Structure formats: C-alpha cells, structure tokens
Amino acid sequence: MQSVVNTTNWRRVAIVVGIVVVFGLALALAARIPKTMTIFVIALFLASAVHPISKRLEARRIPRPLAITIVFTVLIIIVTGFIVIVMPMLFAQSQALLTNVPEYIKNTETWMLDMRAGIQQRFPSLNIPSQVFNVQQFSVEHVTAIFTASVASVGALALNVATALFIAISALILSVFMLLNQDQMAGGFAALFPTRRRQTALMLASQATHMFGSYISGQIIVCTITGVLIAGITAIFGFKFALLFGLVSAVSYAIPIVGMIVAHLLGLVLAAPQGLGMVIGVETVTFIIARISDNILVPRIMGESIGVSPIGVMFAVFAGGELFGLPGLILGIPAAALIKLIWGYFIGPWLHAQIEFADLATPAAPPPAALPDIEIVVAES
C-alpha cells in the first residue's frame, strides 16, 4: 500500500516538474519572437472581445461566418472613422498644447502663486515652501527639448507606425481565423489532457473564454461611452482640450483604482490655464460621469461580477501593474478571475481528494469508554 502511494506521488511530482519545464521553454521561445507573440496576443484579444457579440448573433440563427463578418465590418468602420475624423482633431489639439506650453506654464504659475498667497493669508502660521508652487521647475527648455526630440525622430516614428499597421492587420486576419476555427482549437486544447479530464478542460476553456471575452468587450464599450461623454460635455463648457482629455479618460477608466486618479490630475493640469471655473467644471464632469459608469453602465453592460473579492481586485491591480506595467493594470482582474477558475477546476478538487485520502489512511480512534452509571441518592431529612 505504501509503495503504491509513493509511486503515485512521484508520478505527480514528475508531471508537475515536466509542466514547469515546458512552460519555461515556451516563455524562453516567446522572448525570442516578440513580434510574432505580439500578433498572436492581439489576435487573441480581438477574438475574445468579438466572441460574445458573435455568439449573440449566432443565437439569432445567423450563421457563424456571417456573424463574424458583420462584427468585424462594424469594427473596421469604427476604427476607420476614428482614424479619418478623430485623429486629425487629436493631432490639432496636441499641437496646440505643445505650441502654447510657455503661455500655459506662465498662466498656471500665476494661478498657483495666487492660490499660495490666499492660503498664507488665511493661515499665516503655515510655512509653505515656494518650490511647491514653482511651475518653472517644469521649464520651457525641458518641454522644448522633448518636442525637438519628437520632431527629430519622425523617420523612426514612421517606421514604427508601418510596423504597427502590419501587426494590426496580421492580428485582425488571425483573429478571424481563430473565431472560424474555434471548435478545432478547442479540440486541440482538450487533446493536451488525459481522456478522463478532457470534458473538464473543455468546460474550463468555455467558461474562461466567455469570462475573458465578456470582460474585454464590456470594458471597451464602457470606456468608450465614458470618454465620449466626458469629451462632449467638457467641449460644451468650452474646454480647449476636450477631445484629448476624453481619450485619456477612456483609457484611464480601464485601469481600476488608479486610472481615474490620473485622469483627474491631468484634467487639473489641462484646465488650469482657463481659470478656476474651468478646473471645477472639468473635475466635476469627470467625477459625475465616472460614477454614472460605475453604478449604471458597468452593471448593465458587463453583467455580473467576475467573482473576485475587493481585496483580490486591489492585489491583482497593483501586482499586475508592478510586474507588467500598463497591460498588467488593465488585465490584472481577469487574470485573477482566470486563476480562481483554474483553482476551482483542478487544484481545489485535487487538494480535497488528498485530504479525504489522508483521512481514510489514518486509523480511526477507538470510541471513548462508557462512563459508569452514577446513582444519585437523595437522603430524606
């Protein structure tokens, strides 16, 4: 009996070591082909984001190839409209921001010095160092140097844009192929597992794909609506960089916890040259729209929670950001949900089986000896 247990344990250890070695070799190979891995990762993201929408169309008896064609056609139209219409406006606002940086720095410094004088007038005993409100430390020379370096690297920028376009087109084609052949890919994934585990692996892959795809597509929709609302309302107020700030807010909203803090700080900096009223207006609009997105858009569009506790969300966000930067901040939550899903399918049941096996292997303790009956005699007085 003991030899059988030892053989089983050694076999499991060998399997775990083999999986770790294969995973390490796969990471080493991926590090040597970064562009290929980038294409496949982007394609996986696109396929995951499109998959829930195409499934809904298939539920309405639309054939899968036609449903995928409809979704990608709409996606290409939206991206083309963004490039043709929105990008020139973003470029114009960015150029205006760089051109007027000296004036903006001067106006911001005047505004902040007035605020410092007001604080010292109300609190005379409070000693505020002048460096705190000295905007000139972000000198015009530094900004000019950054702008000059950007202009000097136009050739490298054009090459990077061409490379990015090639990667995007390749990923788009690959994502269509993934969606059209998802059944074959699922079968290949299940074939990696023992026969008795294949059905479980297929269920895990299905749930993980649905969870990840719903999260990505929901985030894209919610962030887009949030950015459009912030840009539109602040533009009505006369904010000069409404479109640029709306785009930044849309990206920032995808980063839990810290994203909107960064958006508020950027809004403060961009609106400061237009006066205190514009600062209050931009900050108020950003705060209200973010709360509307949290309490109305997210529950309606993204559905139920992905099943990660608030503490787990905070840990996933900060750990993902520290390990992988911006992608880790954005994908930390679905990665944590995926780990929880894998734990529930494989690791949890295995630990439960080990505990039950240990309980069966431990000899049962003898029952306690019965206590003798004690007769209580009450003496009559």
Side-chain angles (χ1 to χ4, degrees):
M1 176 67 178
Q2 187 68 26
S3 61
V4 174
V5 173
N6 290 336
T7 303
T8 304
N9 289 336
W10 278 111
R11 185 182 302 154
R12 288 171 177 168
V13 170
I15 292 173
V16 171
V17 171
I19 292 174
V20 171
V21 171
V22 171
F23 187 72
L25 292 175
L27 288 180
L29 177 62
R32 299 182 65 87
I33 48 173
K35 289 186 173 60
T36 302
M37 292 304 301
T38 301
I39 292 174
F40 272 80
V41 169
I42 295 176
L44 182 61
F45 273 94
L46 284 174
S48 300
V50 170
H51 181 262
I53 304 175
S54 64
K55 277 292 183 183
R56 292 182 181 180
L57 293 178
E58 289 180 43
R60 299 183 178 182
R61 299 183 179 180
I62 298 178
R64 179 184 298 175
L66 180 58
I68 295 173
T69 303
I70 292 173
V71 175
F72 274 100
T73 301
V74 173
L75 179 63
I76 291 174
I77 291 174
I78 293 175
V79 172
T80 304
F82 180 83
I83 294 174
V84 174
I85 300 175
V86 179
M87 283 298 292
M89 300 171 64
L90 284 173
F91 181 77
Q93 289 191 4
S94 302
Q95 191 176 23
L97 179 63
L98 291 174
T99 304
N100 296 290
V101 159
E103 180 183 356
Y104 294 150
I105 291 179
K106 183 178 179 180
N107 293 337
T108 304
E109 182 184 28
T110 302
W111 179 67
M112 296 186 73
L113 289 177
D114 292 340
M115 184 171 65
R116 176 175 178 265
I119 293 175
Q120 286 187 333
Q121 184 178 2
R122 290 180 176 273
F123 306 98
S125 60
L126 184 62
N127 185 18
I128 304 177
S130 59
Q131 291 82 0
V132 175
F133 294 94
N134 184 16
V135 185
Q136 288 296 335
Q137 58 186 325
F138 308 106
S139 62
V140 178
E141 288 77 10
H142 290 161
V143 179
T144 306
I146 294 174
F147 181 73
T148 304
S150 301
V151 173
S153 61
V154 170
L157 179 62
L159 180 60
N160 291 333
V161 169
T163 304
L165 286 175
F166 171 76
I167 292 175
I169 295 173
S170 302
L172 183 65
I173 297 173
L174 183 59
S175 63
V176 174
F177 177 81
M178 288 180 176
L179 289 171
L180 291 174
N181 297 274
Q182 53 185 322
D183 294 336
Q184 292 85 340
M185 293 177 61
F189 173 76
L192 299 175
F193 294 84
T195 304
R196 60 188 181 88
R197 291 285 186 179
R198 288 180 182 177
Q199 189 62 33
T200 303
L202 285 174
M203 293 175 61
L204 171 64
S206 177
Q207 290 194 18
T209 302
H210 177 74
M211 179 271 298
F212 193 76
S214 299
Y215 182 83
I216 296 298
S217 59
Q219 278 281 47
I220 292 174
I221 295 173
V222 172
C223 293
T224 301
I225 295 175
T226 302
V228 169
L229 289 176
I230 291 177
I233 297 176
T234 53
I236 294 174
F237 290 166
F239 187 33
K240 294 181 179 179
F241 306 107
L243 187 60
L244 181 62
F245 181 61
L247 178 63
V248 173
S249 299
V251 176
S252 300
Y253 190 80
I255 305 173
I257 302 173
V258 298
M260 291 311 296
I261 297 177
V262 175
H264 278 288
L265 293 176
L266 182 62
L268 174 65
V269 173
L270 292 178
Q274 292 184 251
L276 181 60
M278 184 59 68
V279 170
I280 295 175
V282 169
E283 295 296 315
T284 303
V285 168
T286 305
F287 179 81
I288 292 176
I289 296 301
R291 299 293 74 76
I292 291 175
S293 298
D294 291 340
N295 298 295
I296 298 178
L297 296 181
V298 170
R300 288 181 177 273
I301 295 176
M302 300 188 66
E304 298 179 357
S305 172
I306 58 176
V308 181
S309 65
I311 299 298
V313 167
M314 295 180 65
F315 179 81
V317 169
F318 289 119
E322 185 175 358
L323 291 173
F324 304 106
L326 181 60
L329 286 172
I330 297 175
L331 299 177
I333 296 177
L338 182 60
I339 293 173
K340 182 180 178 181
L341 195 62
I342 294 174
W343 181 283
Y345 267 90
F346 295 106
I347 303 176
W350 180 79
L351 290 176
H352 185 69
Q354 296 303 308
I355 294 173
E356 287 186 348
F357 181 80
D359 291 341
L360 292 175
T362 303
L371 296 177
D373 295 336
I374 301 176
E375 184 178 356
I376 301 176
V377 179
V378 181
E380 296 181 0
S381 56

